[in-house]
Amino acid sequence: MQQSVFLRTCAVILVVATISGCGGSKSSTTTLGKPAKVIVTPATLSLQTGEVAQLRATVQDAKGSVINTVTPTWTSDNTAVVQVSKTGLICAGTWDANFITCTPGPVGTANITASASGITSDKSVISVHQRIANLTLSAPAVACVSQAKTQQLTAVAKDASGNDITATVGTITYSPVNPNIATPDSTGLVTAKQPGQTQIIATVSNITSLPVTFTTCPPATIILGTQGTTPLETSFTLAPGAAKTLSATITDTLGNPITDIVLTFSSYYPNVVSATGTTTTATVTGTNAGTTAVVASCTPPSCNSGVNQSVYSNVVVATVSGTTASTAYVTGKGATTIVPIDTGTNVAGTAITVPSATVSSVTSTLAINSFVFARNGLRAFLGADTALLVLDPTTNSFSADITNIQGKVLAVSPNGNKAIVSDVANSKVYVYDSAANGFETFTIANAIAADWTPDNFKAFIVSSGSAGNSLYVYSPVLTLRNVALGGAANDVTALSQGSIAYVAGGSAPLTTFTTCDNAQLGTVAASTTPLLLRTTTDATHVLGLTGGSIIDDLLAVETQPCPPTTVSNAVTEHSFGVSFAPNKFIVDSAGTHAYATSNTTGVLAYDVAAGTTSVIALGAGATGATTADLTLDGKQLYVGELGTNDVHVIDTPPTNLDVKQIAVGLKKTDNTVVSPDFVVVRPK
C-alpha cells in the first residue's frame, strides 16, 4: 500500500529553517550565535509500514537561544526501513524522488538524526511494524499493592492475523488516570503511591488498550494519639490556647505501613479544639471550654480516591478547661423575631427580625419550623414554610434567604457548608451548599432524619412511611444510594468516630450500617424501638430515647478496615417512670449527661456514668418544656418553657437547678404570644 502526501510539506513548518508559506515570501531572520546543540523531536516514534510522520529539529546556540537561519541535514541509519526527506518528513518505507509517495517497507528500527554546522542531534528512534490490530494490557490478579511496592503490567500488540508483534512496535506509553495513586515507568512497572484506585492504559502508534485497574492498598487501621507518648495517649485536657501534636500510625490491608498519605483531621466540636494537619500529624489547639473527639480519616477524594471509602482512626478525646461564653437563640413558630441571649450574663439582646415572604400577593412572616447550628458555630440554618434562612451569628443577620427551598432542616455538615432540608409535602430533599450558594434536589418521600459522618464525606437520610422504608446515603462526590430498611425507622446517628451509622428501627430496634460501604453490619436488641438517637462525643455510647425510657448501648469501636468486622455492644435500659412524647434530645459534649424535653412539665435527665434517670423541675408557672440546648462546656441548659413562655436557665449537675427565667416576648404579627419552640446555643 502506498500513501500520498501531495502538498503535505506545505503544512510542515520547520523550526530550524527559514520559514516560507506555500507561494509566500521568506520570513524575517535573526542572526544569533553559533550552533551548539540540535534537538530532534519526538525522540521516539512507532509507525506501521507505509506511514508518514514529521520530525522537527531545533538549532540552539550555547545560551539556548533558537537559531532559525541554519537549515539542518537529516540522516537515517537504516534507509531500508525508514527514509527521511530534506525537511524531516519520514517514511516508514521508501520515498519516491519528490518525497510525495511512501511505499511500505520492511519491519525494523531506524535512528534519525539532524546535523547543523557539524553538530549532530541525539537520535530519534523510529520503530516500524505491521498494523496493530489489537493492544491489550494485563495485570496480576492481586487485591492491592502496598505503598512504594511495584506491580508489572504487560502490554501485548498483535497484528490482524493474531501474531504477537510487541517486540517491533517500539516504546509503549503507560498512562494512569490519577498519577497520585500509581506511577508507571516506560516498561509498565507501576509503583504504588497514595491509597486509592486508578485505571491505567497503554498506548502505542495511536492505538490505546482497554484500561486495567490498579489499587494502592487502603488503610486497615489508623492509630491516632499524642506524638511521642508511651503508652499512646488518647485522652487529655488543654488550657485555652494550649496545643498538642497528634500522630497517626497507618497500616494497610496487607499489614504493611503507609507513610505517605493525605489524612483528614476532624474535630467533632471545632470550637473546642481545632485540628490542623494533612499528613500523618496534626496540631490540636484548645479554644473554648468543652470536650470534643478528634478523628483522623482517609477520606476521598484526597485519600482512597477511586475506592471512595473513608477509613477512620480511633477517637482521641480532648477537653478544654474553663467556661464557655456563647449566645443562645430563641424563636417560635410564627414569631416575628429571634431573640439572642448572652450565656455569660443571661440577658436577652436586640431581637432579630424574621424575614417576610410574599405568596399569592400576601406578605407574611416566614413560619420557621427548624433551627440547626453547624457544629463549628459559623452559621445556623432555619427551615421555613417558603424559604431556607442562613443566620450569620457574628452579625446576627441573615446572610442568605433561599426561596427555592422549603421544608425542615434535618442536619448540617460538620464544616457548616451543607444543610439537608426535607420537604415532606412534595417528597423532596434539598442539599444546600452555602459555599457555592446552590443546591441539589432529590426525590425522597417522607425524609424524617439525617446525620453526617465527622469528615463531611457522607450523610445518612432516613425515609420512613407508606412510600417505603429506606436509608439514603448522600455524598458530595458520589451518586445518591438507596439502602432498603427491614422496617419503619425513626432516627439515624453517625458515630463521632465515623465508621458506623445507627438507625432507630429498620430490621430491629437498632440497626447498624457501615459508613464505608453502606452495608448492614448487624442489629442491636432492645425492648422498644427508640424514637430519637444520639451518640456521645467519645463514641462509647449510643443513646436511644423511647416514650418512657432511655436505651444505653455501650460500645467498643476501634479503628478497623472497611467494612468493620466487629462491634461490641452492651445494652441497658433505664425507665423515667412516666410516659412521654419526646421532642428534643441532647447530650453534653463530655458525654456524661443527656437531656430531653417532652410533653411533661420537667426536663428528663440521664446520668450516663451512673446509669440513673431523673426529672428536673422547672420554675413556677411552667406547664411544659418545648425544647432545650446546652453550652459547649455542658454547664448551662437553656429550656423553652410553656406556661409563661420564658426561657429557663438550668445549672447542670451537680445541682440541676432552674436558676433563672428569661422573658423573650415572642409574638406573631397579630401580637398574639408565641411559645419558645426553638432554643439553640451557638457551639462556641
Side-chain angles (χ1 to χ4, degrees):
M1 176 180 172
Q2 294 181 332
Q3 182 169 345
S4 175
V5 291
F6 178 67
L7 294 180
R8 188 184 203 115
T9 56
C10 180
V12 176
I13 301 174
L14 297 179
V15 177
V16 300
T18 299
I19 302 172
S20 62
C22 296
S25 60
K26 292 183 178 180
S27 64
S28 61
T29 61
T30 303
T31 302
L32 300 171
K34 295 181 179 180
K37 189 175 185 180
V38 181
I39 302 170
V40 173
T41 56
T44 61
L45 269 179
S46 176
L47 303 176
Q48 71 180 39
T49 57
E51 272 194 295
V52 172
Q54 178 68 57
L55 296 182
R56 288 175 170 79
T58 302
V59 180
Q60 296 178 344
D61 64 13
K63 294 182 179 180
S65 299
V66 175
I67 303 173
N68 50 11
T69 57
V70 178
T71 301
T73 57
W74 295 87
T75 304
S76 170
D77 71 352
N78 191 349
T79 55
V81 174
V82 177
Q83 293 185 356
V84 58
S85 74
K86 295 179 180 179
T87 61
L89 195 65
I90 60 173
C91 160
T94 304
W95 276 126
D96 69 345
N98 296 314
F99 304 107
I100 295 175
T101 301
C102 177
T103 301
V107 170
T109 302
N111 299 316
I112 308 298
T113 55
S115 300
S117 301
I119 306 298
T120 301
S121 70
D122 290 337
K123 61 187 178 182
S124 176
V125 181
I126 314 300
S127 299
V128 179
H129 52 83
Q130 297 297 328
R131 186 181 70 85
I132 300 173
N134 185 32
L135 180 64
T136 60
L137 184 64
S138 61
V142 296
C144 64
V145 179
S146 292
Q147 189 174 84
K149 296 187 181 299
T150 59
Q151 182 184 71
Q152 181 65 56
L153 304 184
T154 302
V156 176
K158 293 185 178 181
D159 64 16
S161 299
N163 298 313
D164 187 339
I165 58 172
T166 309
T168 67
V169 299
T171 302
I172 298 174
T173 301
Y174 300 87
S175 305
V177 172
N178 188 341
N180 292 324
I181 292 170
T183 302
D185 67 10
S186 60
T187 68
L189 186 67
V190 185
T191 301
K193 298 180 72 179
Q194 293 279 332
Q197 192 174 85
T198 187
Q199 291 187 320
I200 300 174
I201 59 171
T203 304
V204 66
S205 193
N206 295 319
I207 304 296
T208 299
S209 71
L210 291 174
V212 298
T213 299
F214 182 95
T215 302
T216 299
C217 295
T221 59
I222 304 173
I223 307 300
L224 185 65
T226 55
Q227 191 176 54
T229 59
T230 304
L232 195 66
E233 186 183 34
T234 58
S235 180
F236 52 82
T237 299
L238 294 173
K244 275 185 178 285
T245 300
L246 300 184
S247 179
T249 302
I250 306 103
T251 303
D252 71 15
T253 51
L254 296 182
N256 295 314
I258 300 176
T259 56
D260 181 14
I261 191 170
V262 177
L263 292 178
T264 298
F265 290 89
S266 306
S267 175
Y268 195 77
Y269 289 110
N271 279 333
V272 173
V273 300
S274 61
T276 306
T278 57
T279 54
T280 59
T281 60
T283 300
V284 294
T285 305
T287 305
N288 293 293
T291 300
T292 189
V294 178
V295 174
S297 59
C298 173
T299 298
S302 59
C303 182
N304 229 8
S305 178
V307 178
N308 293 327
Q309 295 176 341
S310 288
V311 180
Y312 299 94
S313 74
N314 57 293
V315 168
V316 171
V317 179
T319 299
V320 176
S321 57
T323 301
T324 297
S326 187
T327 304
Y329 292 85
V330 186
T331 191
K333 300 172 183 176
T336 59
T337 58
I338 300 170
V339 178
I341 298 172
D342 186 323
T343 65
T345 63
N346 285 327
V347 174
T350 303
I352 306 164
T353 301
V354 176
S356 299
T358 300
V359 179
S360 301
S361 301
V362 177
T363 301
S364 59
T365 299
L366 289 173
I368 293 172
N369 58 41
S370 49
F371 197 154
V372 182
F373 251 105
R375 288 202 297 267
N376 61 10
L378 291 180
R379 58 185 62 89
F381 296 85
L382 292 81
D385 52 347
T386 57
L388 173 68
L389 303 176
V390 183
L391 177 68
D392 181 350
T394 61
T395 60
N396 279 343
S397 62
F398 294 102
S399 60
D401 180 350
I402 304 94
T403 56
N404 293 324
I405 299 177
Q406 63 186 41
K408 180 180 179 181
V409 179
L410 300 182
V412 177
S413 60
N415 62 13
N417 288 341
K418 293 181 182 291
I420 298 174
V421 182
S422 174
D423 180 4
V424 172
N426 296 298
S427 298
K428 299 292 184 184
V429 165
Y430 304 95
V431 180
Y432 172 71
D433 187 335
S434 62
N437 194 27
F439 61 90
E440 300 172 84
T441 306
F442 303 97
T443 300
I444 300 177
N446 202 39
I448 58 174
D451 200 12
W452 288 83
T453 55
D455 57 350
N456 306 286
F457 183 59
K458 283 185 178 180
F460 294 86
I461 305 168
V462 165
S463 170
S464 188
S466 58
N469 303 304
S470 294
L471 181 67
Y472 287 86
V473 185
Y474 167 83
S475 173
V477 298
L478 301 175
T479 303
L480 185 73
R481 294 288 304 275
N482 181 353
V483 181
L485 296 173
N490 300 318
D491 202 359
V492 62
T493 187
L495 287 181
S496 60
Q497 185 266 342
S499 62
I500 302 173
Y502 274 71
V503 172
S507 57
L510 284 170
T511 308
T512 60
F513 293 84
T514 59
T515 60
C516 65
D517 61 3
N518 313 321
Q520 182 172 324
L521 180 61
T523 59
V524 180
S527 62
T528 308
T529 298
L531 300 173
L532 297 172
L533 286 180
R534 296 293 181 268
T535 177
T536 57
T537 304
D538 61 3
T540 60
H541 294 260
V542 169
L543 304 177
L545 192 65
T546 72
S549 64
I550 194 163
I551 295 170
D552 188 346
D553 185 9
L554 178 64
L555 309 177
V557 179
E558 297 297 332
T559 176
Q560 297 187 54
C562 175
T565 53
T566 58
V567 178
S568 175
N569 298 89
V571 179
T572 57
E573 189 167 355
H574 310 272
S575 175
F576 286 97
V578 294
S579 296
F580 52 83
N583 48 47
K584 185 68 178 290
F585 187 28
I586 49 179
V587 181
D588 64 12
S589 67
T592 58
H593 294 84
Y595 304 92
T597 57
S598 66
N599 58 343
T600 61
T601 57
V603 175
L604 306 168
Y606 175 63
D607 187 318
V608 178
T612 57
T613 60
S614 60
V615 178
I616 303 172
L618 297 178
T623 60
T626 58
T627 186
D629 205 1
L630 278 161
T631 54
L632 267 181
D633 58 13
K635 295 178 180 180
Q636 289 183 309
L637 179 68
Y638 290 80
V639 182
E641 173 263 333
L642 295 174
T644 59
N645 297 310
D646 295 334
V647 172
H648 289 231
V649 184
I650 295 175
D651 278 347
T652 55
T655 59
N656 272 355
L657 294 177
D658 186 348
V659 295
K660 187 171 183 178
Q661 297 80 47
I662 305 171
V664 290
L666 299 175
K667 292 184 178 181
K668 296 182 180 179
T669 53
D670 61 4
N671 213 37
T672 57
V673 174
V674 178
S675 60
D677 302 307
F678 307 103
V679 176
V680 296
V681 178
R682 181 186 182 188
K684 182 181 177 183

